Amino acid sequence: MDSIDASTVLVSQSTTDPIIAVAEGSTKHVKFDHSNLPIKAVEDATGEADESDTDAEPEGDGTTKKLQPSQRKRQQHAVFDSWKINRVRNTSEEEKKARVQNEADELLTIRGLMNKAEANVIVNDPREYQLELFERAKKENTIAVLDTGSGKTLIAVLLLKHVLEQELTSRASGNPHRIAFFLVDVVTLVYQQFAVLEHNLDQQVDRFCGDMNVDSWNKATWAEHFQKNMAIVCTADVLLNCLSRGFISIEQINLLIFDEAHHTKKNHSYARIVKDFYLDVPIPKRPKVFGMTASPVDAKVDVIQAARELEDLLHAKIATASNLELLRNTVSRPMESVLVYTRLPNHYATSLCTQLENNFRGSRALSRLFTKAKLAASELGEWCADRLWMLALESEEAAKLERKTEHKFSTDALSRTALDLELQMINDAKEVVKQAEILMPQPSTTMVSPALSSKVICLKDFLQAEYENPTETRCIVFVQHRLSARLLSDLFQKFRSPHMRIGTLIGTRQAESGDLKVTIRDQMMMLMKFRKGEINVLFATSIAEEGLDIPMCNVIVRFDLYTTMIQYIQSRGRARHKQSKYVHMIEGHNSKHYWALDDVHKGEIKLRAFCQNQPEDRLLRGIEFDFDGALLKEKQYQVYTEPGTGAKLTFGTVLDQLSYFTACLPQNEETFARPMFILTFKGRRYHCEVLLPSTSPIRSVMGRGYSRKSIAKRSAAFEACLVLRQGGYLDANLLPIYHKQLPAMRNAQLALNIKKTNAYDVQIKPRLWEDSWGTVPAELSLVLIQIAEPALTLGERSLAPLLFLTREALPRIPNFPVHLKAGTKSDVSLTPIVSKLKVDEKTIKLLTNFTLQCFLDPFNKGFQYDVEHMSYWLAPVRHAKRDPTIDPQSLVDWEALEFVQANGQMRWNNSMSHSELANLFLIDPHSGALRYFTYCVRPDMHAEDRPPEGLARNNHKYFETILSYTCSLWKNSRDWLEKQDKNQPVIESFQIPFRRNWLDDFEEGDVTVKTQAFICPEPLNISSLSVPIAAMLFVFPSLIWRIDAYLVALEACEFLGLDIDVELALEAMTKDSDNTEEHRIEQVQYQRGMGKNYERLEFIGDSFLKMATSISLYAQNAGDDEFESHVKRMLMVCNKNLFKNAVDMKLFKYIRSQSFSRRTWYPEGLGMIKGKSTGKSKELGNKYQPQTHPLNDKTIADVCEALIGAALLSHTESGSMDMAVKAVTVLVKNSDHDVEKWDDYYKLYKMPAYQIAECTAAHLDLASQIEKKMGYKFKWPRVLQAAFTHPSWPYVWGNIPSYQRLEFLGDSLLDMVCINFLFFRYPDKDPQWLTEHKMAMVSNKFLGALCVRLKFHKHLKTNHNTLVFQISEFVEEIEAAEAESEGARDYWTTTKNPPKCLPDVVESYLGAIFVDSCFSFKVVEEFFEKHVRWYFEDMTIYDAFANNHPTTFLSNLLTNNFNCTHYRVLADEIPNADGTPSRVVSVVMVHFQIIADAESSSSKYAKIRASHRALEKLKGLAPWEFRKKYSCDCKDDSENSPTIDGNGEGHERAQAPNVQNVDDVIGSAI
């Protein structure tokens, strides 16, 4: 939605802050009016300033109109919330339907495709015969027998409406709820019939099929669906399972509609529903039955007998329209004709087939192909027969044959020699076919040519005549075999007429060699193209005969004749247009063909007569039928009904139920999760034993004896289910207790809410200080603190080094920078002195007094003399030699210590010379904020002179003289000034600004602070501290703050038992804003001067965490599949787990989230006797009051990952990853990762049986090829084979698992090695940049290209035919791209995405060499250096690839091109008004205007689509146009200052030209 009602007002948390959505005329943007919002001053994190201890001058009234980032963020969310409410409210049903109609077919789901196709199928004008049958169906159970296309579904809709109206009345009377079921035979029809019902019923309707994983649903889930819906469309298997498990009873159903009811026979699910459940209840409680079919006969049986049996089984009367003329007028019948082709030759071999048969006659794998090729030669011609060999033995299909051969090896116990021989013959045959020359038939081919059969030539001539000119004709050619459809489609693609557009429609069953793999979606897409005319000739198997709605068709050709009457009737019904044609292709002089044609015509006449001649008062035998005849055989079979739930176990359903039980068992890749049946013949009966997998609690059960094998198998399964139920392994609904668990990540909210913030305790000071209290030391450790190349600052004064003395030696503290001047850095170094300083009572007194003076003079804080509670001491330095071995006694400036102890603060007297007053540190005793460094005496100025303009602190009304300017007292306290010496000198001085956070660079206000002062000495005290020492002391608060932070971070590491470098430890524990993890946007509550934050360490730590847990899981859980490994890993690495563990360990107290505080840098333990309180409590032993800091949950989890990263980087030089491994163990706290060092991983690993099994010749050959190609020799070739085995390749064909677990492992290894490369190569890049560019390195596109470059795809074993063609297509494209690239390393970015298996193979190969090398990461690094690094030596060429992500591109466009920082991309779920699952909506907001929005099923793709649309709107805008259109005032403060263009040159910001609307200009002129 582009705009919202201008009157809409949403009130935020504060009712005084209105958030108003305004429609902005024709631009249709949502605007946010914040001009009247009160802006509240944000208090400083360290509390309010006081006049004696302030860091900066107040800013006038203390307010600003600029929104704080946190305020802006809240208001953006409020605008978004208001927009979402209006969107949901205003979205109409028409808009929802339009959305489906306008969406591209390729992007729609199957349901969407059906909805689009059936959008106009509304029942509003039923024919007379439909109403007639509807009235009959209302009164009694009915089977409607009508031609295809005659509107049977419409009758079902009318009946459903009637039954549902009755149901609503019944429910209003308080009766139990009942539900209607529309049953179909195939999944495709579920979607088709649901689309019809959804558009025609007012009540709620839903659809279900096995593909939706309904087998795993429990009773509560089904009860919810039954309660919500009044009608359900589903496959019969779904309802049968629900009835069998007691999820619903037959009494709860009011209507059963059987689509294609002729399937109701034998053991079909239709029949089982009736036999096992329908008959069990009294007649009044049975649901109404309505069946639909074009013919009750689907086999070569007597029509009348078949009709009677169908009536008996469904307990319904067969009926058709009484007025057949009306039916014929409504449903047009096609004109039938016959095409006669000359007699075909017997099956024979072409020359190619003969050559293959002579060379490979003994091949079992090729035997079926010989038969198919001979049949094709006869039926289709020699070109099609030879084409079959090409399709069946091209590289991918040959691999499929090899897989099947290996499968037979596993089941038939062939010798390895025989297997190798068989595989060799397949490869040799492939080479023969590759070398064969197969000439394409010419369009002029005649009937005498063997290249095409007479049958094909006959079809060719017919189609070419039909499509000679442009035409709307749509034709379906029906064939019997899938391969025939493909071969004919290929053939007609070669020499079709310009007006023929060829397609293929076949079923979804498992494809064979040379066959196509087709999905339901493929079928739907093919039908959509046929509807639109994109395809107008469709070669189809029987899938196109039944049920599928194929309109617009006017020519049907039966290339292969029907075998039953219903095939004839249904295929004929596909031709629905008037003047349609139905063509029977018949072989000349073939009596069977003529008999078939005669049989279907006579059978149809007989069926119509039967339907028409039913007496009105005939009682249907089926209504009173007790099944004594038809079901007599089934009465001998056992039935079990669960007493509590009604769940039923019968011979008809038991095989499916037992198979589902075994599928839900815990399993590994070396077990096959299905029951195995062993049959023996004893006493003229078959006895069957069922063997269950090794993970089953029951291993085997014997069934009863029966005369038929199939019944004996069912008996064994039945007995097994009874035993499982008795043992409690099946529940009351006969469902296994071993439900395959959904991923814990679905059931638990493992992701943390990034917005959730709590207050956590924070440790202000390191424990080191408090732990050292209580003694008078006899020796002290020394650290020399120096500022390298100290820049003159604080009035151009140099900074003297200081000695920092402690009871215990400090750990190594790294150098860190301070900012003494704007734009410059100076390194602070802390050099530990090796020898300790011996101290006695006298020296400790000197040191203590000096240290206390260091707090008093600069900072006006007087502390008690208490040696036992001193945390540290300070001392002046005699000479600043950075020599750790220097004698500490000679290093201390003892004279300075004694001078300070003797003098403290001194007073001026008139005997002091002018030279003595230069270079002094003067203190205002009445103000903690006024401190001066003196320059010199000014003889030209007098105490009674008026202070010059431009001085520091020159805005007081009492500053009439320099003497009064010097005094900081208020009026009532100034009387003593009259007694001051009026002749005292005036000293030019530097007023020291109280900028205490020297860890951060200067801000603009700091640079412009006035510091010049002219003062008189008498009102002030003279400090005994020298100016260089005092200058250093003013920087000292920042130094001790950083030292404390280092020590706290180290204490965290010590608590965790981790040896981490101190610099990395602090970096890992530092969070410097509320949104540290959000990059390239304005930071909220940014804390200045904290140094590096945790984000880069978290980035590399996250990768190591993923790798470490993956390795541990792989090593310990050899039986887990990839799915289970993903779940277990997610449980370990998820933020929720890390957060919980960190909170349990109170890790939050060590996190540094606040920048320098002027209140808490002072030492604890000492009582304060002068100055403003710093927040310490006497009751707590002069320690600071407990404090908290706000942290969101994700921050705490991120710090855990940062600590892992720090542990890894701390030992980079040694190459050891042991400490990082230990960090993972400590922080994830999970039994699946319980190791202390890297080598422990391999100790956990137990080689699975497949790895150490005997290798075949094929395995050894693969290892040899890889060694030559890659230079790595595999010790375990079967591991290598696993790396190249696709999941579609059955385990039993080679007893080797698929690559999924190795890919799971290799994915994490590749991620780690790529991140290592980027992290060290680009030390200044933020995690977002690193992530964006890493995505290029691990993208499917690149890995697919690498797979082809390494020729790995040639070794892939897959049983997925469609995948084989996708691989071939991609290989051709990527090789062409590389050939045309002229050496460009990014050639792979220009191609489409590869099949997923290709990148998977690269990752699984990495996993394989890692496992084979005994878990050596070195081999992974070598692989990267040899095969990956070359592509990424210059990452700048992938900037476009990274920026191609629409959201990143949008961010760069707004920030760099438009200089706009006031934008957000937001996403959230919104419920759909039609009750379908919620969708995610995303918006792009610029200056509170929503400029684009989009929906998707996930936040990721919603943001991508919204960004795409925003980019379209912004395309072509000049910066001035953008600023005008979106009221952008970002960076207005620099509007007149130069900005930098793309060439790095300065230019003035362009001003908006005076552009006006043309109509406005003309109107003004008139």
Side-chain angles (χ1 to χ4, degrees), residues 1114-1119 1241-1249 1251-1252 1415:
Y1114 187 92
Q1116 293 185 83
N1117 302 282
Y1241 287 132
Y1242 191 69
K1243 293 176 182 177
L1244 295 173
Y1245 183 58
K1246 293 182 180 178
M1247 292 187 188
Q1251 180 175 339
I1252 58 179
F1415 290 24

Side-chain angles (χ1 to χ4, degrees), residues 47 294 581 743 801 1160 1437 1450:
K581 302 175 184 178
T1160 56
I1437 64 176
L1450 176 65

Side-chain angles (χ1 to χ4, degrees), residues 179-193:
I179 191 169
F181 279 86
F182 194 121
L183 303 179
V184 298
D185 184 50
V186 292
V187 172
T188 317
L189 292 178
V190 171
Y191 294 95
Q192 177 175 300
Q193 301 292 26

Side-chain angles (χ1 to χ4, degrees), residues 573-598:
R574 298 302 122 201
R576 300 187 182 181
H577 267 207
K578 290 184 178 181
Q579 300 180 344
S580 295
K581 302 175 184 178
Y582 186 85
V583 180
H584 311 256
M585 291 190 64
I586 294 177
E587 186 180 34
H589 308 293
N590 188 332
S591 57
K592 292 182 180 179
H593 284 192
Y594 288 96
W595 291 340
L597 180 61
D598 186 58

Side-chain angles (χ1 to χ4, degrees), residues 1114 1250 1279 1282-1283 1299-1306 1403-1404 1407-1408 1411:
Y1114 187 92
Y1250 91 85
V1279 174
Y1299 62 54
Q1300 286 179 303
R1301 292 193 70 244
L1302 287 172
E1303 181 263 331
F1304 166 79
L1305 176 62
E1403 293 172 337
S1404 61
V1411 171

Side-chain angles (χ1 to χ4, degrees), residues 762-774 807 852 855 863-864 866-872 1040 1044 1048 1051 1159-1168 1174-1177 1180-1187:
V762 59
Q763 182 173 320
I764 301 172
K765 294 289 183 181
R767 291 284 307 174
L768 173 68
W769 305 139
E770 184 178 351
D771 291 344
S772 68
W773 294 344
R807 290 181 175 85
L852 296 179
F855 295 126
F863 294 106
Q864 292 176 338
D866 185 352
V867 174
E868 291 188 2
H869 286 87
M870 291 288 289
S871 298
Y872 53 80
I1040 190 61
D1044 281 348
V1048 169
E1051 286 181 7
R1159 295 190 182 279
T1160 56
W1161 69 269
Y1162 300 101
E1164 291 183 314
L1166 299 176
M1168 195 166 67
T1174 58
K1176 293 191 289 188
S1177 168
L1180 296 174
N1182 291 311
K1183 292 170 59 180
Y1184 289 104
Q1185 294 278 3
Q1187 295 185 19

Side-chain angles (χ1 to χ4, degrees), residues 650-661:
T650 69
F651 271 38
T653 61
V654 71
L655 290 178
D656 289 339
Q657 286 175 291
L658 186 61
S659 294
Y660 183 68
F661 172 81

